[in-house]
Amino acid sequence: MARISADRLTLGYQRQIILRELSLSLPEGKMSVLVGSNGCGKSTLLKAMARLLAPWQGRVLLDGKDIDRQPTRHVARTLSLLPQHPVAPEGISVRGLVRLGRHPHQSWLSQWSERDEAVVEHALALTDLTDMAERRVETLSGGQRQRAWIAMAVAQDTPLMLLDEPTSFLDMAHQMEVLDLLKRLNVESGRTIIMVLHDLNLACRYADHIVAVRNGSLHAQGTPHEVITREQVKAVFQLECRVIEDPFFQVPLCIPFGREAPE
Amino acid sequence: MTPYRFWPVLVWLFGLLVAFGISLMAGPQWSGPLTVWHALWSSSPGDINELLIRTTRLPRALTAMAVGASLGVAGGIMQTLTRNSLASPGLLGINAGGLFVVVSLTTLAGSLPGWVGSFGAIGGAAVAAAVVWGIAMRRRDEAGPLRLILAGAALTALFNAFSQALLVIDQQGLDSVLFWLAGSVSARPLAQTWPLMLLIVAAVLGCGPCLRQWNVLAAGEAVAVGAGVAIRRLQGVSILLVVSLAGAAVAMAGNIAFVGLIVPHLARRLAGADHRRWLPMAGLIGATLLILADVAARTLIAPREVPIGVMTALIGVPFFIGLIRREGSRGG
């Protein structure tokens, strides 16, 4: 059962076509990761699924209906989005930022309810930011800042979360921290998580489902073992590598060779 | 929700009232508070001082208040909309468009009745904003605000070049449009300005439903879409509000620069990042600043007047630099 799917989607910017007639369904309740080389169209696909980009042809279906024909506020109660490199408003506190996530649940009549307050507190606690709630976002470290943005998406309280490269520019420890947090959200509250990642090995560790995009079309999808093989990595990334079994986590581990191939 | 702290707003509201009172008292010959009170509430037709207060100083103070508030709020909206803290209403070509229409009308028809100038200015402002908006927002992508700034700068340069060409050809026209060039809140009877004031009041009230959405938009377009803000509609409404506010301000007082740029900064420093707090503050600060600037403009070298645009810069710049410096040392 898929809540979100792409139906013969053709996407592009200005005159340049990026993605051609791509159809895709992403499994509910799982962590899905889109991978592919730079410029292959994976981020563009994620943007279209988040209705940031209008398709040239085809549709994005959310719960079986065209996402562009549903009221945006209604969509925002089902689907949240963390874009690439978001910039917080000047001077805003962590709590202030997380509160913005409640926007689709508020209306003229019900401005700020106890439920809103409870969800915000929960999101802060989950992301370990309760002690920093009054601090200004610009004073946080990169990892903390990314957690604050994730907390905002969590406060939006949606069954689906889309994240565009949530670990870029973070050091290794902070990357793990963010991915552990997302895994927790997936396991504990059954949220469907769909994200773009660059690191294949992190994708293998955390994804239930991997989608490999190559040259604007779907190259392969399935479990990490099905998708991350020597042949497919070569096809998708034009990269020589060997794939071995991760001795600790029993997932594929990709060792890139680059120019200096052994033997 | 953290409780809304009313006292800063109350303090500024009180400040605005004081400034308004001073403005009614100020002139080449200062009047006492009692004279002002009598002039407002119990008219004795023969008294020349009271007549002066009612027919000259009161409209002037009201104009300064309305124009200052409009520019402060319009500047704040522009800065949120473009996510650029150097944005101001002038950016949309509003001032240049309004001015160009006034100059053209003056060149074609000689001197104008005041209301023709007003409506010409607001019409020119609206057309300029519509053209800039049309160029910048035709495509649906994230570069819209940047294109808005570029298109606005280009159109401003174009309109100003036209205006200057017309003024060189028609030297006599210069005198009658100098008012718009330098900016002034003087000599506009309420009978002429009340439709513009109504427009300003309507636009300020129209900001109400947008405040929370602007809070989300300040985190970026993608974040706002993700949180369910109907972004095209919000941008359209915001531009309409800016054109109404800044257009009316230009029509009433001409080209008063700087208020729309600095006042939103002051308001954010004082009231924080929430539009529900700082945007009303921007209106109050803008109104107070412009009233005081006008008082200074007509008393410093009385009986002559300093152009109010010069005064806003003289008052605003040191204040602004001081704030930036203090902010810098606190951060470092």
Side-chain angles (χ1 to χ4, degrees), chain B residues 110-164:
Chain B
S111 69
L112 295 170
W115 66 270
V116 176
S118 295
F119 282 92
I122 208 164
V127 168
V131 171
V132 170
W133 182 254
I135 294 171
M137 293 298 180
R138 205 163 44 87
R139 274 206 305 270
R140 184 177 152 187
D141 64 23
E142 291 150 27
L146 180 64
R147 283 199 301 270
L148 200 68
I149 291 171
L150 295 175
L155 209 73
T156 298
L158 184 72
F159 276 132
N160 281 344
F162 284 154
S163 300
Q164 279 162 12

Side-chain angles (χ1 to χ4, degrees), chain A residues 13-14 47 50-54 68 72-73 75-76 79-83 86-93 95 97 99-104 106-108 110-112 117 134 136 149 152 156, chain B residues 1-2 83 85 139-143 147 208-210 212-233 265 268-269 272-277 327 330:
Chain A
Y13 297 104
Q14 287 140 53
K47 276 185 191 149
R51 74 215 183 286
L52 287 181
L53 194 69
D68 281 325
T72 181
R73 182 182 288 268
V75 172
L79 181 86
S80 57
L81 163 75
L82 179 57
V87 182
E90 200 188 323
I92 201 168
S93 69
R95 179 174 273 119
L97 187 73
R99 277 198 178 129
L100 296 181
R102 296 306 294 165
H103 182 263
Q106 292 171 288
S107 68
W108 261 98
S110 65
Q111 289 266 322
W112 188 260
E117 191 65 45
E134 305 311 323
R136 286 161 60 151
W149 282 106
M152 180 195 157
Q156 205 170 320
Chain B
M1 174 156 200
T2 42
R83 273 175 66 81
S85 55
R139 274 206 305 270
R140 184 177 152 187
D141 64 23
E142 291 150 27
R147 283 199 301 270
C210 299
R212 262 182 339 108
Q213 301 185 57
W214 282 327
N215 278 343
V216 188
L217 182 61
E221 233 176 273
V223 172
V225 172
V229 172
I231 194 97
R232 296 296 125 175
R233 196 182 61 196
H265 284 268
R268 277 193 297 264
R269 296 269 148 89
D274 190 334
H275 284 73
R276 287 170 295 186
R277 298 186 186 176
E327 192 71 8
R330 198 169 55 194

Side-chain angles (χ1 to χ4, degrees), chain B residues 78-99:
Chain B
M78 279 301 292
Q79 289 176 8
T80 296
L81 199 61
T82 57
R83 273 175 66 81
N84 185 325
S85 55
L86 293 178
S88 67
L91 204 80
L92 279 171
I94 286 176
N95 293 352
L99 185 69

Side-chain angles (χ1 to χ4, degrees), chain A:
Chain A
M1 197 5 220
R3 299 199 62 174
I4 192 160
S5 56
D7 176 26
R8 278 166 298 148
L9 209 54
T10 299
L11 302 170
Y13 297 104
Q14 287 140 53
R15 296 216 188 94
Q16 200 194 349
I17 194 161
I18 306 282
L19 230 69
R20 206 181 292 273
E21 299 222 348
L22 186 143
S23 295
L24 174 70
S25 291
L26 292 163
E28 185 177 358
K30 305 277 186 198
M31 280 180 93
S32 296
V33 174
L34 310 181
V35 300
S37 56
N38 289 331
C40 72
K42 57 190 188 303
S43 275
T44 309
L45 176 60
L46 196 84
K47 276 185 191 149
M49 289 199 283
R51 74 215 183 286
L52 287 181
L53 194 69
W56 287 5
Q57 277 164 28
R59 299 171 303 168
V60 171
L61 300 174
L62 179 67
D63 294 327
K65 285 176 284 183
D66 190 338
I67 201 169
D68 281 325
R69 287 166 187 265
Q70 301 180 46
T72 181
R73 182 182 288 268
H74 179 83
V75 172
R77 284 183 214 140
T78 309
L79 181 86
S80 57
L81 163 75
L82 179 57
Q84 237 180 88
H85 321 312
V87 182
E90 200 188 323
I92 201 168
S93 69
V94 173
R95 179 174 273 119
L97 187 73
V98 176
R99 277 198 178 129
L100 296 181
R102 296 306 294 165
H103 182 263
H105 301 275
Q106 292 171 288
S107 68
W108 261 98
L109 294 173
S110 65
Q111 289 266 322
W112 188 260
S113 65
E114 301 211 337
R115 167 152 178 80
D116 291 326
E117 191 65 45
V119 172
V120 165
E121 289 311 315
H122 178 67
L124 287 168
L126 203 64
T127 49
D128 231 352
L129 288 167
T130 309
D131 293 340
M132 289 175 234
E134 305 311 323
R135 273 179 60 185
R136 286 161 60 151
V137 174
E138 61 252 41
T139 67
L140 302 181
S141 73
Q144 294 167 338
R145 205 175 299 174
Q146 193 66 333
R147 279 197 338 242
W149 282 106
I150 292 174
M152 180 195 157
V154 169
Q156 205 170 320
D157 201 16
T158 58
L160 273 96
M161 295 177 80
L162 303 184
L163 304 99
D164 196 354
E165 292 188 36
T167 57
S168 60
F169 294 140
L170 298 181
D171 64 37
M172 228 191 291
H174 285 129
Q175 290 185 25
M176 298 299 288
E177 187 185 303
V178 163
L179 290 171
D180 279 337
L181 170 62
L182 293 172
K183 188 83 208 170
R184 231 178 114 188
L185 290 169
N186 169 249
V187 172
E188 286 177 12
S189 46
R191 294 176 203 238
T192 305
I193 292 188
I194 300 161
M195 60 183 156
V196 171
L197 285 183
H198 267 298
D199 188 317
L200 279 188
N201 290 327
L202 287 179
C204 289
R205 268 284 290 287
Y206 288 93
D208 303 302
H209 189 81
I210 292 186
V211 176
V213 182
R214 175 178 168 239
N215 260 340
S217 57
L218 187 66
H219 182 78
Q221 60 171 324
T223 64
H225 277 111
E226 287 164 358
V227 177
I228 305 302
T229 62
R230 180 179 166 188
E231 294 72 30
Q232 308 220 79
V233 170
K234 175 138 172 72
V236 171
F237 292 94
Q238 283 83 52
L239 177 75
E240 273 305 336
C241 73
R242 292 292 181 275
V243 176
I244 59 172
E245 185 79 354
D246 184 321
F248 299 102
F249 293 94
Q250 287 74 49
V251 293
L253 184 66
C254 171
I255 298 164
F257 278 4
R259 212 173 268 195
E260 294 171 54
E263 291 157 60

